[in-house]
Amino acid sequence: MMTSSSETIDASAAGTWTLGDLTVNRIGFGAMRLTQPGPAFSKGPSGDRGRSMTVLRRAIELGVNHIDTAAFYFSPLRSANELINSALAPYADDLVITTKVGPGRDPSGVWTWATPAQLRGQVEENLRQLGRDHLDVVNLRIARSHRAESVADHIGALAELREAGLIRHLGISNTTADQLAEARSIAPVVCVQNRYGIGSTPEDQALLRSCGEQGIAFVPFYAIAGAGGEAGTGEGEGDEVLAVARNHGVTPAQVRLAWTLHQGPHVLAIPGTGNPDHLAENIAAGAVRLTPDELALLGP
């Protein structure tokens, strides 16, 4: 039995994985929810700057050495990249910061999608905001409507930036098996970042397994939120999740994270929060060990 409040557990409890030549703890931190307390990308109020910076610094204290962010993570008054820079620079040598390019948002919040020629500008924007001379990992984020299209031109453009030293490693997000194969024919890919969690489809599960066979990290987003997506967790939890949570004396969110990590040693978690208490709970989920019966109850 483990309770989320009885002890402090750091990110090393989940074990490690290597992104190219960068070793990270399998529990990381997603920066999307730092910029506002309500649903991400909404017209709601901006988050408290001091509280967000406290969360980031506490994450590092708890052993997090993998942070996922993007230049398009912003609210009217807050930028996730700026918060990371202000809170954590000068950066620890072992801190890996992963960013995403492809989508963009203008100051009013309207979404755009970069052409291959525009990707350099997005990479440079992340570099400026983070105060770095290179990006550790850059994911090409693919629009849901483009999952049947070629990614060759976009990956090719990012591969050129990798050769130029602006990017260390490449990943791909919201992708399919065919797009991953195409990307890997052009440049090495160290991670896939897709939506995944309890209740995911057989196709999602197959891609996760395939990544493991190829030595590629699989990094789920919305592992806690599930169908809630940007809005966060829904109103209720299934009986199975609640039963396992009671068995371990943990929260349903911790069960969802633990289940995700149990899907393979190559699976990383990047739960995001602007709440210091939720941060500690998320990281402690790396120490929850589910039984085979519990895993079967929660689903394949």
Side-chain angles (χ1 to χ4, degrees):
M1 298 282 287
M2 183 202 79
T3 63
S4 58
S5 59
S6 62
E7 58 183 313
T8 300
I9 297 170
D10 73 24
S12 65
T16 63
W17 184 259
T18 302
L19 294 168
D21 60 348
L22 304 170
T23 300
V24 296
N25 288 324
R26 291 177 62 216
I27 283 273
F29 179 80
M32 185 181 72
R33 301 195 184 280
L34 286 176
T35 64
Q36 54 194 139
F41 313 127
S42 72
K43 297 187 182 298
S46 296
D48 179 85
R49 176 179 171 81
R51 181 181 173 92
S52 294
M53 292 177 66
T54 295
V55 167
L56 284 163
R57 290 169 178 153
R58 182 58 176 154
I60 300 301
E61 292 171 357
L62 290 173
V64 168
N65 58 6
H66 175 211
I67 294 178
D68 176 80
T69 187
F72 56 83
Y73 288 173
F74 65 84
S75 62
L77 299 179
R78 302 285 175 259
S79 155
N81 281 354
E82 187 278 327
L83 289 166
I84 291 167
N85 189 348
S86 296
L88 302 182
Y91 301 109
D93 291 341
D94 68 341
L95 178 61
V96 174
I97 299 179
T98 299
T99 57
K100 288 175 288 298
V101 296
R105 295 167 69 212
D106 69 18
S108 68
V110 174
W111 290 94
T112 60
W113 290 87
T115 65
Q118 292 170 327
L119 290 175
R120 183 182 185 106
Q122 289 191 337
V123 166
E124 291 175 345
E125 181 181 22
N126 279 282
L127 288 168
R128 286 193 300 271
Q129 292 176 352
L130 290 166
R132 305 197 74 173
D133 59 7
H134 76 277
L135 299 174
D136 296 323
V137 182
V138 173
N139 283 301
L140 173 66
R141 180 63 174 266
I142 299 164
R144 285 190 291 269
S145 59
H146 293 173
R147 284 164 62 92
E149 299 182 8
S150 171
V151 296
D153 290 344
H154 284 78
I155 290 291
L158 291 177
E160 290 178 3
L161 298 178
R162 178 175 173 267
E163 291 298 320
L166 298 184
I167 299 171
R168 191 161 184 171
H169 297 295
L170 296 180
I172 190 166
S173 176
N174 207 33
T175 191
T176 65
D178 288 344
Q179 289 173 328
L180 173 60
E182 182 182 39
R184 293 188 73 219
S185 72
I186 297 168
V189 173
V190 301
C191 59
V192 165
Q193 190 180 102
N194 272 24
R195 188 172 189 148
Y196 186 84
I198 291 174
S200 288
T201 67
E203 180 184 11
D204 295 331
Q205 294 158 9
L207 181 57
L208 180 149
R209 290 192 298 270
S210 175
C211 286
E213 293 164 359
Q214 298 174 77
I216 298 170
F218 190 89
V219 190
F221 58 86
Y222 300 151
I224 295 177
E230 290 89 349
T233 53
E235 292 295 323
E237 278 287 1
D239 292 341
E240 296 84 0
V241 172
L242 293 173
V244 175
R246 286 193 297 269
N247 289 346
H248 290 267
V250 299
T251 68
Q254 287 175 303
V255 170
R256 287 180 172 273
L257 283 173
W259 178 89
T260 300
L261 290 168
H262 276 69
Q263 301 310 300
H266 67 298
V267 179
L268 311 183
I270 48 169
T273 182
N275 182 312
D277 293 333
H278 290 168
L279 169 71
E281 289 179 355
N282 290 343
I283 291 172
V288 177
R289 301 293 182 257
L290 302 178
T291 68
D293 286 345
E294 289 170 335
L295 290 169
L297 178 66
L298 294 170

